[in-house]
Amino acid sequence: MKVIVTKSKEMMSINAAHILASKIMEYPHLVLGLATGSTPLCTYHELIKMYNNGILDFSRVTTFNLDEYVGLDDSSPYSYRFYMQKEFFDYININQKKINIPYGIAEDLTEETKRYEKAIKKAGGIDVQLLGIGRNGHIGFNEPKSNFETLTHVVELDKQTIEDNARFFDSRQQVPRKAISMGIKTIMNSRKVILLASGENKAEAVKKMIYGKIDPNLQASVLQLHPDVTVILDKEAASQLKYTEENWII
Ligand code: GLP
């Protein structure tokens, strides 16, 4: 694991956007795995800025989002599809047909999870997967104790995840109890992983992910086994790590 500690959330986002931009410039047909939540927002905004400045072309990029809530359709302002359009896709020249997000209101959810995996395979696999991390160490919606061998599947959301994500809804009751998520195996199959974390409330999960034992109770710890992971943190999320500021803070 390569760990980059930055002095602010803004610098974390700029760093991540620069890595993604360099990959898109190198491989215009990049297959990009994307995350939602508050952490990657500014990264998306940085990428939009680069697009507006004529630096980036998304026309040949394919995207696969990590997850989607079950029961919310595309027009629901709480759906991840809505988030992605509003925060990123509506402002870049991505081909809408190359955007992939699990369909949360599919009639047959199991079929939908299989379809999603097949689509990833057909696209040639994910080149770069962007991740956030939950306070309980989840990645995507792979909650504590999930099997590391799972592909895209339907998950029951953890109590803490429901609490944490209630801030995006009008009330806790509105938070769906289930989601479709790429599995740990899907994430581990991607060629490169970039994980972002900011804020003190992520510090413990980050510490366990980096120094802890590989343990399904902290799903992100499995990333210790991935050959190409870059973790980009702000100094609050890195506050429980040992590092020398002169070398690590950008
Ligand atoms: C959600 C998403 C995750 C995300 C996590 C952290 O549960 N499914 O992909 O990483 O929340 O969210 P935030 O970035 O808002 O802290």
Side-chain angles (χ1 to χ4, degrees), residues 24 28-29 51 56-62 93-95 98:
I24 294 167
H29 288 94
Y51 167 70
L56 283 180
D57 172 16
F58 289 90
S59 61
R60 285 172 284 173
V61 171
T62 298
N93 68 335
I94 191 160
N95 178 345
K98 290 183 183 285

Side-chain angles (χ1 to χ4, degrees), residues 113-160:
T113 60
K114 289 184 191 155
R115 184 197 66 78
Y116 205 65
E117 276 299 322
K118 269 191 208 145
I120 294 173
K121 249 198 192 135
K122 197 170 165 210
I126 293 169
D127 293 310
V128 184
Q129 176 65 56
L130 187 63
L131 295 177
I133 183 169
R135 277 196 305 145
N136 63 3
H138 74 205
I139 46 179
F141 268 134
N142 293 285
E143 300 289 26
K145 297 189 173 53
S146 303
N147 187 323
F148 284 160
E149 285 301 309
T150 42
L151 295 169
T152 300
H153 63 306
V154 178
V155 296
E156 296 271 349
L157 299 184
D158 195 59
K159 229 173 139 195
Q160 190 173 73

Side-chain angles (χ1 to χ4, degrees), residues 1-212:
M1 261 184 201
K2 179 178 171 194
V3 182
I4 300 173
V5 182
T6 65
K7 62 176 176 234
S8 63
K9 185 174 181 186
E10 191 193 357
M11 288 310 294
M12 173 200 80
S13 308
I14 291 173
N15 259 274
H18 285 181
I19 296 176
L20 294 173
S22 70
K23 285 284 171 195
I24 294 167
M25 286 170 112
E26 195 179 355
Y27 307 110
H29 288 94
L30 196 77
V31 179
L32 197 50
L34 297 175
T36 49
S38 51
T39 311
L41 259 187
C42 300
T43 300
Y44 295 143
H45 299 166
E46 283 302 321
L47 289 170
I48 293 170
K49 274 190 218 160
M50 283 189 244
Y51 167 70
N52 286 335
N53 292 337
I55 300 166
L56 283 180
D57 172 16
F58 289 90
S59 61
R60 285 172 284 173
V61 171
T62 298
T63 62
F64 284 91
N65 263 78
L66 275 170
D67 43 23
E68 178 60 284
Y69 289 113
V70 166
L72 300 187
D73 72 15
D74 295 0
S75 62
S76 162
Y78 309 110
S79 71
Y80 283 162
R81 157 67 76 163
F82 194 91
Y83 166 109
M84 289 307 301
Q85 291 294 146
K86 184 173 66 108
E87 302 294 349
F88 191 32
F89 296 147
D90 283 350
Y91 302 96
I92 56 173
N93 68 335
I94 191 160
N95 178 345
Q96 296 289 320
K97 289 190 188 132
K98 290 183 183 285
I99 295 172
N100 297 276
I101 302 179
Y103 192 47
I105 53 162
E107 243 171 58
D108 186 334
L109 293 174
T110 311
E111 267 313 305
E112 174 58 10
T113 60
K114 289 184 191 155
R115 184 197 66 78
Y116 205 65
E117 276 299 322
K118 269 191 208 145
I120 294 173
K121 249 198 192 135
K122 197 170 165 210
I126 293 169
D127 293 310
V128 184
Q129 176 65 56
L130 187 63
L131 295 177
I133 183 169
R135 277 196 305 145
N136 63 3
H138 74 205
I139 46 179
F141 268 134
N142 293 285
E143 300 289 26
K145 297 189 173 53
S146 303
N147 187 323
F148 284 160
E149 285 301 309
T150 42
L151 295 169
T152 300
H153 63 306
V154 178
V155 296
E156 296 271 349
L157 299 184
D158 195 59
K159 229 173 139 195
Q160 190 173 73
T161 302
I162 294 170
E163 297 288 337
D164 287 351
N165 289 1
R167 69 189 196 279
F168 297 111
F169 293 78
D170 294 333
S171 70
R172 188 186 180 279
Q173 278 63 39
Q174 277 187 328
V175 185
R177 279 9 187 195
K178 287 183 181 181
I180 298 178
S181 177
M182 283 186 198
I184 291 294
K185 194 164 185 180
T186 323
I187 294 170
M188 290 298 277
N189 282 342
S190 51
R191 293 179 189 94
K192 181 178 182 66
V193 171
I194 299 172
L195 184 142
L196 309 181
S198 80
E200 187 88 48
N201 63 343
K202 299 292 173 69
E204 197 178 340
V206 165
K207 180 182 82 179
K208 288 182 178 162
M209 167 181 74
I210 296 173
Y211 300 137

